[in-house]
């Protein structure tokens, strides 16, 4: 692509708001955003307290200088996104000197619109949680936490003639799930590259296979693909995302024995709060209350801020006739604002049936 010859000009990235946010500690965690581009830290936002409704107003602006004659060029903007990392600042404990932080998740902002003639654009960038983060979605269909981001340059980076004469191919790899253990660095941070073969001539169609994608709406086809995939798996830790998706489909289709088997495989080799939760749900639906409680307790130990885990612990305690534990689990379910209205209605129905479990009775 032909590059413009001009002096440098700043590209501004502003994070205005965050939505559906949660932290490891408390209902109103203190968080900040770090912006990075081209392996450079652009800056950190001020520390902002998330509201009880899960929103935060950052109004944080960072920038880098675009200069086709050196430094950050059009090629950098074409294939390097802006990374926005959300970090929680943990409350200080007694005699603690240094501030402790935990990364919650990361959002990615694609700058391609700047190469399509735009001088500004807004986007709602989803926050991809780190493993075990309270930002992890409980199930498919639940609203994902996100950041509202605005990008601005004083004037377009390309002229109309340059845009019309360009040849821009866009292929986006948004995330990598359940990466091998060898990808997790023990020492300094490392960078990994994914290659994609692109034909130099357009004489025939060229197939591109994207593995492990999510098929929206077609559960039968998705289930068949996932089942074929795991039939070749030796190490479940390599397929954590696939097991979660397949297990969720089994639960939604009420194939609880298959869901139990699927989640159990993942729990044995790649345990997480969500794998234990899935196993606990499957066992509860099979009326295996002891096994369900064991699995849900494991999930709760990994993340005791997951409202759905508390909800199913409440159901198990209700069915087992343990009033005090049922009321305690229900209290945390409500405190953590369970979003699944159907599950909440089920809890209320069981409470009415057994005559306890809701302190307001």
């Amino acid at each position: 692509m032909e590059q413009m010859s001009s002096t440098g000009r700043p590209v501004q990235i502003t994070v205005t708001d965050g939505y559906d946010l949660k932290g490891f500690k408390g209902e109103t965690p203190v968080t900040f955003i770090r912006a990075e581009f081209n392996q450079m830290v652009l800056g950190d936002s001020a520390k902002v307290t998330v509201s009880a409704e899960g929103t935060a107003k950052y109004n944080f602006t960072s920038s880098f200088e675009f200069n086709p004659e050196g430094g950050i060029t059009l090629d950098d903007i074409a294939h390097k996104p802006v990374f926005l990392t959300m970090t929680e600042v943990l409350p200080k404990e007694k005699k603690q000197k240094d501030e402790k932080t935990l990364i919650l998740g990361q959002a990615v902002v694609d700058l391609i619109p700047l190469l399509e003639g735009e001088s500004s654009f807004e986007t709602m960038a989803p926050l991809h949680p780190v493993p075990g983060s309270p930002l992890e979605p409980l199930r498919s269909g639940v609203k994902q936490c996100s950041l509202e981001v605005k990008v601005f340059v004083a004037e377009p980076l390309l002229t109309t003639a340059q845009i019309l004469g360009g040849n821009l191919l866009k292929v986006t790899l948004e995330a990598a799930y359940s990466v091998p253990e060898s990808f997790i660095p023990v020492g300094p941070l490392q960078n990994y590259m994914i290659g994609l073969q692109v034909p130099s001539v357009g004489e025939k169609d060229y197939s591109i296979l994207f593995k492990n994608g999510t098929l929206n709406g077609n559960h039968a086809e998705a289930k068949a693909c996932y089942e074929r995939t795991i039939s070749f798996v030796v190490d479940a830790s390599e397929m954590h995302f696939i097991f979660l998706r397949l297990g969720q489909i089994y639960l939604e289709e009420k194939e609880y024995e298959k869901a139990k088997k699927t989640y159990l495989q993942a729990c044995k080799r790649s345990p997480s709060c969500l794998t234990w939760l899935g196993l606990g749900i499957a066992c509860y639906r099979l009326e295996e209350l002891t096994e369900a409680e064991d699995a849900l307790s494991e999930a709760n130990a990994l993340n005791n801020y997951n409202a759905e885990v508390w909800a199913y612990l409440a159901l198990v305690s209700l069915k087992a006739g343990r009033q005090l534990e049922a009321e305690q689990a229900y209290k945390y379910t409500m405190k953590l604002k369970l979003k699944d209205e159907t599950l909440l209605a089920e809890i209320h129905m069981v409470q009415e049936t057994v005559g306890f479990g809701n302190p307001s009775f």
Side-chain angles (χ1 to χ4, degrees):
M1 178 182 290
E2 179 190 355
Q3 297 189 1
M4 299 176 64
S5 60
S6 68
T7 57
R9 65 192 82 168
V11 177
Q12 295 182 351
I13 301 98
T14 300
V15 181
T16 57
D17 299 275
Y19 301 96
D20 299 289
L21 306 178
K22 290 176 287 186
F24 286 96
K25 299 292 184 180
E27 294 184 355
T28 56
V30 176
T31 62
F32 68 90
I33 303 295
R34 169 165 291 180
E36 299 173 78
F37 180 75
N38 197 28
Q39 300 183 10
M40 297 185 303
V41 175
L42 303 181
D44 293 342
S45 74
K47 296 170 185 175
V48 176
T49 301
V50 176
S51 71
E53 291 74 31
T55 62
K57 187 167 289 293
Y58 293 99
N59 288 330
F60 163 54
T61 298
S62 59
S63 65
F64 62 86
E65 187 175 89
F66 162 71
N67 191 336
E69 297 176 352
I72 295 175
T73 65
L74 290 176
D75 285 341
D76 294 318
I77 291 177
H79 73 270
K80 296 177 183 177
V82 174
F83 293 104
L84 300 172
T85 304
M86 174 174 286
T87 301
E88 179 179 357
V89 181
L90 301 181
K92 281 192 175 182
E93 300 177 355
K94 292 182 179 179
K95 298 182 180 180
Q96 178 185 322
K97 294 183 179 179
D98 297 330
E99 192 173 68
K100 293 185 178 180
T101 60
L102 287 173
I103 293 177
L104 294 171
Q106 190 174 69
V108 179
V109 178
D110 189 352
L111 300 178
I112 288 292
L114 297 181
L115 304 184
E116 296 172 337
E118 301 291 340
S119 59
S120 65
F121 66 91
E122 299 182 17
T123 183
M124 193 67 71
L127 266 169
H128 302 285
V130 299
S133 167
L135 299 181
E136 280 188 298
L138 304 180
R139 60 176 72 236
S140 59
V142 173
K143 189 175 181 181
Q144 187 176 11
C145 45
S146 57
L147 296 176
E148 187 173 351
V149 183
K150 298 179 181 180
V151 179
F152 171 80
V153 290
E155 57 183 273
L157 301 184
L158 294 172
T159 65
T160 302
Q162 288 173 318
I163 294 171
L164 294 176
N167 187 17
L168 180 65
L169 170 66
K170 179 181 177 182
V171 178
T172 302
L173 178 70
E174 294 198 349
Y177 296 92
S178 302
V179 297
E181 290 184 4
S182 59
F183 276 34
I184 303 175
V186 177
L189 292 178
Q190 302 175 40
N191 291 320
Y192 295 91
M193 180 179 294
I194 294 177
L196 174 66
Q197 185 178 358
V198 178
S200 58
V201 294
E203 296 178 353
K204 61 179 180 179
D205 292 338
Y206 192 86
S207 299
I208 300 175
L209 174 64
F210 290 89
K211 192 174 75 171
N212 295 0
T214 302
L215 296 172
N216 296 322
N218 191 338
H219 279 188
E221 187 178 349
K223 182 168 66 174
C225 290
Y226 290 148
E227 288 171 340
R228 283 199 304 271
T229 301
I230 66 172
S231 67
F232 298 104
V233 173
V234 176
D235 184 358
S237 65
E238 301 286 334
M239 304 295 289
H240 184 82
F241 177 73
I242 296 298
F243 278 92
L244 288 178
R245 289 293 189 186
L246 180 59
Q248 185 60 45
I249 290 175
Y250 284 145
L251 288 179
E252 291 176 2
E253 296 190 348
K254 299 183 179 180
E255 297 184 71
Y256 300 126
E257 285 288 357
K258 290 183 177 180
K260 177 182 176 181
K261 181 180 178 181
T262 300
Y263 282 119
L264 190 58
Q265 284 181 275
C267 286
K268 287 180 177 178
R269 301 298 295 274
S270 180
S272 70
C273 174
L274 295 183
T275 60
W276 285 114
L277 172 59
L279 179 61
I281 295 173
C283 291
Y284 174 78
R285 297 305 177 191
L286 292 168
E287 299 185 359
E288 299 172 355
L289 298 186
T290 301
E291 292 87 344
E293 185 170 20
D294 289 343
L296 293 168
S297 297
E298 292 287 348
N300 190 257
L302 291 172
N303 180 8
N304 62 359
Y305 288 92
N306 188 313
E308 191 172 13
V309 174
W310 284 111
Y312 276 98
L313 282 171
L315 284 171
V316 168
S317 297
L318 288 167
K319 290 290 184 72
R322 301 198 300 265
Q323 180 175 350
L324 183 61
E325 294 177 31
E327 290 181 353
Q328 183 182 29
Y330 177 70
K331 179 183 72 174
Y332 282 108
T333 300
M334 302 306 294
K335 183 178 180 180
L336 294 170
K337 296 180 174 60
L338 178 68
K339 295 181 180 180
D340 189 333
E341 296 292 339
T342 302
L343 179 57
L344 187 59
E346 181 180 357
I347 294 175
H348 290 158
M349 183 179 67
V350 177
Q351 287 172 339
E352 292 179 5
T353 300
V354 300
F356 63 84
N358 188 336
S360 64
F361 282 173

